[in-house]
């Protein structure tokens, strides 16, 4: 069973998004799509209405760090 994650788990979300979308540059993803990607992750238990631009930016940055490390 996947670990439960919420909006504040940006590093874990970044890791999972990199594993799910290894060839996708996170900085090309619109926030509306990023929101959907996060809420569809296994183990995500956060309230979809509780995200905001700052949270999505933190997730996008964490994902981009994973993306760069994977190159």
């Amino acid at each position: 069973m996947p670990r439960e994650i919420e909006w504040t788990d940006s590093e874990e979300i970044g890791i999972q998004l990199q594993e799910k979308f290894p060839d996708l540059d996170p900085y090309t993803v619109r926030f509306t799509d990023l929101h959907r990607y996060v809420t569809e992750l296994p183990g995500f238990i956060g309230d979809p209405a509780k995200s905001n631009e700052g949270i999505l930016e933190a997730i996008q940055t964490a994902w981009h760090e994973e993306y760069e490390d994977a190159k």
Side-chain angles (χ1 to χ4, degrees):
M1 177 167 218
R3 176 179 164 243
E4 290 184 345
I5 53 175
E6 299 195 41
W7 289 113
T8 55
D9 299 313
S10 56
E11 288 183 30
E12 179 61 27
I13 292 170
I15 291 168
Q16 288 193 30
L17 290 172
Q18 178 58 30
E19 290 172 355
K20 189 170 183 178
F21 305 103
D23 299 321
L24 183 58
D25 180 344
Y27 287 154
T28 66
V29 177
R30 296 179 310 184
F31 279 175
T32 52
D33 292 330
L34 179 57
H35 183 277
R36 182 170 42 85
Y37 295 164
V38 172
T39 59
E40 292 174 351
L41 288 174
F44 183 78
I45 60 165
D47 181 345
K50 299 279 183 177
S51 73
N52 60 43
E53 188 172 327
I55 289 171
L56 292 172
E57 284 176 353
I59 291 169
Q60 189 178 47
T61 300
W63 180 11
H64 190 262
E65 289 172 9
E66 294 298 321
Y67 175 77
E68 288 295 316
D69 288 348
K71 281 186 173 181

